Amino acid sequence: QVMLVESGGGLVQTGGSLGLSCAASGRVFSIYVMAWYRQAPGKQRELVAAITSGGSSNYADSVKGRFTISRDNAKNTVYLQMNSLKPEDTAVYYCNANISTWVGQYDYWGQGTQVTVSS
């Protein structure tokens, strides 16, 4: 069974920084795209950033220049470094990964971690 386990997050003041990490565990054959999504209260879940196994990344316009996504393929882990945080970044952040296992290739989600930016 594959699991995505997130860590990081918490409470930070406007302008501060936080880092998130997400590690995939279980019998993983390959991990393709890894991504971070977020969902604020009353809003739909939105893509924040994504990164391929080769290191190509893309970002939501709202976080470009402030957030950096990276991954360590040897550790099956994806990271999100968030700088210059704003109150509108407050949301539950979810890790997502497209993973190949012995039963097939599927999308998996982490449990979510709260990020709160105070003004």
Side-chain angles (χ1 to χ4, degrees):
Q1 182 180 359
V2 173
M3 292 182 62
L4 296 180
V5 179
E6 302 168 7
S7 60
L11 174 64
V12 66
Q13 291 186 334
T14 296
S17 298
L18 280 175
L20 306 179
S21 64
C22 170
S25 63
R27 297 193 66 179
V28 173
F29 290 172
S30 296
I31 303 179
Y32 303 101
V33 176
M34 303 186 83
W36 290 96
Y37 286 75
R38 67 186 181 187
Q39 187 166 20
K43 295 188 177 181
Q44 290 188 329
R45 190 173 297 189
E46 64 173 357
L47 176 66
V48 175
I51 186 168
T52 68
S53 57
S56 297
S57 59
N58 64 281
Y59 298 88
D61 288 343
S62 60
V63 306
K64 282 181 181 176
R66 300 187 298 120
F67 290 11
T68 301
I69 189 170
S70 61
R71 64 190 283 175
D72 185 332
N73 292 330
K75 295 182 179 179
N76 292 337
T77 299
V78 63
Y79 306 93
L80 185 68
Q81 179 62 39
M82 304 180 290
N83 298 328
S84 302
L85 282 161
K86 305 175 181 180
E88 51 263 43
D89 295 318
T90 296
V92 178
Y93 284 69
Y94 296 91
C95 173
N96 169 271
N98 187 259
I99 300 175
S100 174
T101 71
W102 68 280
V103 296
Q105 185 173 339
Y106 299 98
D107 274 349
Y108 293 84
W109 291 89
Q111 78 280 8
T113 185
Q114 178 69 45
V115 171
T116 302
V117 184
S118 63
S119 56

